[in-house]
């Protein structure tokens, strides 16, 4: 759902300009882009996209190097599945170009949500005539069912964060839902700006069996609400989506979307250059110049809401002899000092990244700035901290403690050229201070199901895509949200941070909230559940066959912004 982060498997690198997000107030109107929100198109000229009236028909081929896992909105937490989700589901509310909650013509809501003066009651009214792809009406029952399912721990939905603040979800009438919170929760408007699932399809499925149900993996049994219907899935090859002739809203111009899966990033870029692909959500920085050199392609470069990290796992059962090597804070800090993060940005990302020390994007209103601890590249300091924490060099040069070698596996997703290179740097950097790292590349879909979701790994090199501008990170770092009821897959626990996350969402005043996130930045960068690496992003590449008005252009600062307003796009296949 809209509050949770999604694992970032696809996208690659970004400009060094800081991402500037709007505040957390609800937008009472559907906003239009201002000058700061315009999309930066590097080549060809921006006007080239907007010269023709939209044409109906045609096929958009979207390229990816990872398959989906499931498009059931209750469980989507990877970018591949999230991409597909954009085509086939309508959201209750949408996010506009400035990052605010908005009502669009294709939103299920009829008007902006109403929030009571005490900030505890949210009322949502649905449009008339909205329908599921099987012709059944979308009603308040579907909204109540969706949110009640998410907040029930038995369902194990990763979107549960925030719903623990809910005391009651009521159907007022067929088109109206009222949600009552037990306490103020500032990000809640973003949580309900989400997709809804059909009660009439899923109501008889046991909560414990929902995640493995065919809904979300079998196109024929996945009833949806968006402008395109899911028609086919050939695993590790492609998915297809056809415009739904019975869609309740304005009809999309593009008739068919093919989501084509390639072996790796280089292969998909070559397919784009050859003309086999019309759109890539991200291209490797090393390929940008080659793509820019093609006159029939456009590259869009703006900051993105993504950051990369090395994640520690703290659950003893994931380690041989149940020995977790980084239980000591000084050891985790030593790992951070041992990594040449700026060298990775300079040499792997070719300078297009910004170092991070906390889980808040640089330049955003929650950025803690100098309050967070900065870990410069300092191998000697790393060695000193390791010695202080009881590590001693063994005969082979690898550190030992209590009879255990400092050796661990670092998992990342196969086919990601950036992570392949970064993993090699991490391996060498840590070897230089006496730590043995074994990088392991795993197919992304299998990785999500077998390792990430249940939290079964020693360490990971991964990225988060932030689905909305709110900085709340409780579901990722809070001790209430261990798998399967949250996204704290590293089983990290810090009671001081637990209290601060709660404090940060208990007020709506942005200035007061920013002070709390400054405290969080200091604590989390000291204690280090992750080594926070860098903000990066996505040069978007597309064929000039794609046409859209400026107001509908892709928006790199948003999650899935490369598909922003895709319902209004058209394709000229001449």
């Amino acid at each position: 759902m809209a509050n949770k982060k999604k694992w970032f498997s696809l996208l690659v690198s970004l400009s060094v300009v800081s991402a500037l997000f709007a505040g957390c107030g609800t937008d009472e109107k559907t906003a239009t882009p201002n000058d700061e929100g315009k999309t930066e198109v590097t080549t060809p000229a921006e006007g080239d996209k907007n010269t023709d009236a939209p044409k109906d028909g045609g096929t958009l081929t979207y390229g990816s190097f990872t398959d989906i896992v499931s498009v059931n909105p209750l469980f989507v937490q990877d970018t591949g599945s999230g991409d597909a989700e954009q085509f086939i589901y309508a959201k209750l509310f949408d996010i506009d170009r400035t990052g605010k909650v908005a009502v669009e013509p294709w939103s299920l809501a009829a008007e902006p949500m109403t929030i009571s003066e005490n900030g505890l009651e949210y009322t949502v009214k649905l449009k008339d005539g909205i329908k599921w792809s099987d012709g059944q009406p979308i009603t308040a029952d579907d909204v109540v069912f969706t949110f009640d399912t998410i907040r029930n721990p038995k369902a194990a939905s990763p979107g549960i964060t925030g719903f623990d603040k809910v005391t009651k979800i009521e159907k007022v009438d067929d088109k109206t839902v009222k949600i009552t919170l037990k306490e103020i929760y500032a990000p809640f408007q973003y949580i309900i700006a989400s997709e809804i699932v059909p009660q009439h399809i899923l109501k008889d499925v046991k909560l414990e069996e929902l995640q493995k149900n065919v809904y979300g993996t079998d196109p024929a049994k996945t009833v949806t609400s968006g402008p395109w219907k899911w028609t086919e899935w050939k695993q590790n090859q492609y998915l297809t989506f056809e415009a739904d002739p019975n869609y309740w809203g304005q009809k999309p111009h593009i008739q068919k979307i093919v989501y084509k899966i390639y072996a790796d990033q280089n292969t998909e870029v070559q397919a784009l250059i050859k003309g086999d692909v019309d759109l890539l959500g991200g291209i490797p920085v090393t390929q940008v110049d080659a793509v820019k050199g093609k006159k029939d392609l456009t590259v869009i470069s703006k900051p993105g809401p993504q950051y990369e990290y090395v994640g520690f796992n703290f659950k003893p059962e994931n380690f041989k002899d149940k020995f977790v090597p980084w239980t000591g804070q000084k050891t985790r800090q030593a790992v951070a000092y041992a990594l040449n993060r700026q060298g990775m940005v300079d040499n792997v990302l070719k300078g297009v990244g910004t170092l991070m020390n906390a889980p808040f994007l640089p330049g955003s209103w929650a950025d803690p700035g100098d309050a967070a601890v900065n870990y410069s590249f300092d191998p000697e300091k790393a060695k000193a901290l390791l010695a202080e924490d009881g590590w001693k060099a063994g005969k082979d040069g690898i550190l030992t403690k209590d009879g255990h070698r400092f050796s661990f596996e670092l998992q990342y997703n196969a086919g990601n050229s950036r992570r392949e290179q970064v993993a090699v740097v991490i391996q060498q950097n840590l070897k230089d201070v006496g730590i043995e790292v074994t990088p392991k590349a795993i197919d992304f879909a299998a990785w999500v199901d077998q390792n990430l979701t249940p939290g079964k790994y020693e360490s990971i090199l991964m990225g988060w895509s932030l689905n909305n501008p709110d900085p709340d990170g409780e579901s990722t770092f809070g001790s209430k949200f261990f798998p399967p009821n949250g996204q704290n897959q590293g089983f990290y626990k810090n009671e001081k941070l637990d209290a601060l996350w709660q404090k940060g969402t208990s007020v709506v005043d942005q200035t007061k909230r920013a002070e709390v996130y400054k405290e969080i930045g200091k604590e989390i960068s000291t204690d280090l559940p992750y080594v926070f690496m860098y903000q990066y992003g996505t040069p978007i590449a597309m064929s000039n066959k794609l046409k859209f008005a400026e107001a509908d252009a892709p928006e790199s600062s948003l999650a899935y912004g490369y598909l922003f307003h895709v319902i209004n796009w058209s394709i000229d296949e001449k």
Side-chain angles (χ1 to χ4, degrees), residues 220-241:
K221 296 180 180 179
T222 304
V223 173
T224 55
S225 57
W228 292 274
K229 293 177 66 173
W230 188 19
T231 53
E232 191 177 11
W233 180 22
K234 294 289 186 183
Q235 291 191 359
N236 297 313
Q237 296 182 51
Y238 63 86
L239 298 86
T240 59
F241 309 91

Side-chain angles (χ1 to χ4, degrees), residues 214-273:
V214 294
Y215 183 89
T217 58
D218 184 345
K221 296 180 180 179
T222 304
V223 173
T224 55
S225 57
W228 292 274
K229 293 177 66 173
W230 188 19
T231 53
E232 191 177 11
W233 180 22
K234 294 289 186 183
Q235 291 191 359
N236 297 313
Q237 296 182 51
Y238 63 86
L239 298 86
T240 59
F241 309 91
E242 299 275 356
D244 185 355
N246 299 315
Y247 173 57
W248 55 267
Q250 70 175 63
K251 301 297 187 282
H253 298 296
I254 295 171
Q255 173 62 31
K256 184 176 181 179
I257 296 172
V258 177
Y259 180 110
K260 199 166 183 181
I261 302 158
Y262 291 88
D264 52 45
Q265 290 175 309
N266 292 331
T267 305
E268 66 179 3
V269 170
Q270 290 306 308
L272 174 78
I273 291 173

